[in-house]
Amino acid sequence: MHKDSLYYERIITLDGLYDAATSKSIIGVCDMMISGRIHGAVAALSQNIPTMIIDYGHELKAHKLKGFAQLAGVEEFICNPASYQDMIDKFNICWSTKDDVKNHLENRISEVKMKAKENFKLLKKYQS
């Protein structure tokens, strides 16, 4: 990004290695997240951060990103990295609707967390 850009002063790059708690704390103060990995996307979405998800392929492990995006109700923000225009379009939509997305996530993520807790209770019940 060029130094004369409107957003240049708001862009921060981090070069360090951070533990999971520190990484999640850093993500938690973001206005928006762009992630191509499940852990980054989950860390953002679980904190109600609007997130554009870069689909990293059609291999078996890529289904995790799509599945979590569907669970969170944000599958419209999955973008194709081979399409510059798709990435720009998804970014613009996510950014311009970030307040609405944040409100949606506040409701939806609490439901997702309850479902996760129920699943752990079921696992514990059937392990006994």
Side-chain angles (χ1 to χ4, degrees), residues 19-102:
D19 62 31
T22 303
S23 296
K24 190 166 181 178
S25 294
I26 292 167
I27 291 168
V29 297
C30 293
D31 294 322
M32 182 182 152
M33 176 76 166
I34 300 171
S35 182
R37 295 291 182 248
I38 188 71
H39 293 96
V42 169
L45 292 168
S46 69
Q47 297 182 87
N48 307 319
I49 305 296
T51 303
M52 184 177 108
I53 300 169
I54 301 171
D55 185 5
Y56 55 81
H58 301 289
E59 50 192 87
L60 193 54
K61 64 183 180 179
H63 74 283
K64 294 181 290 187
L65 277 170
K66 291 178 184 174
F68 193 78
Q70 289 172 340
L71 190 60
V74 294
E75 60 271 20
E76 70 269 23
F77 299 125
I78 298 172
C79 65
N80 177 359
S83 171
Y84 174 79
Q85 192 59 53
D86 186 51
M87 292 181 70
I88 294 297
D89 292 344
K90 300 283 172 69
F91 173 85
N92 286 332
I93 293 168
C94 192
W95 180 255
S96 67
T97 62
K98 68 183 179 304
D99 293 334
D100 292 335
V101 174
K102 188 172 185 78

